[in-house]
Amino acid sequence: QVSVLYFARSAELAGRRSETLSVPRHITSLQLWEEIVKAHPRLAVIRDQVVFAVRQEYVLLGDQLLVLQPGDEVAIIPPISGG
């Protein structure tokens, strides 16, 4: 199980700021994103803009293999605009 934190627009789309999800321990970053989208299909609209962080390190969506530990934090951070 991992803790998923949603920020800004991702929190609006998911309808929550955090939750715990059960995912495989060995998973690619893209598969992890797909598991999160399965739980919250509305997140699919930000796929190409989202910044993904695992254990406070940025991760690109793709084939990068992640080895998750119980309680690891996954943050979903949509693009932030400002001046």
Side-chain angles (χ1 to χ4, degrees):
Q1 290 193 326
V2 294
S3 296
V4 183
L5 307 175
Y6 300 97
F7 295 92
R9 182 135 190 255
S10 69
E12 294 170 22
L13 293 170
R16 62 188 64 210
R17 296 216 172 268
S18 65
E19 69 182 325
T20 301
L21 287 180
S22 293
V23 296
R25 185 165 180 226
H26 293 86
I27 190 168
T28 67
S29 56
L30 183 56
Q31 289 168 331
L32 178 57
W33 171 250
E34 290 168 350
E35 289 291 320
I36 293 167
V37 170
K38 266 192 229 173
H40 304 286
R42 293 176 60 203
L43 289 171
V45 300
I46 61 169
R47 182 202 186 281
D48 293 333
Q49 307 149 1
V50 76
V51 175
F52 206 55
V54 178
R55 293 183 298 271
Q56 300 181 353
E57 290 186 26
Y58 292 118
V59 175
L60 295 174
L61 294 184
D63 294 335
Q64 180 179 350
L65 183 63
L66 305 172
V67 180
L68 300 172
Q69 303 297 324
D72 275 353
E73 264 186 8
V74 177
I76 310 301
I77 308 164
I80 298 167
S81 62

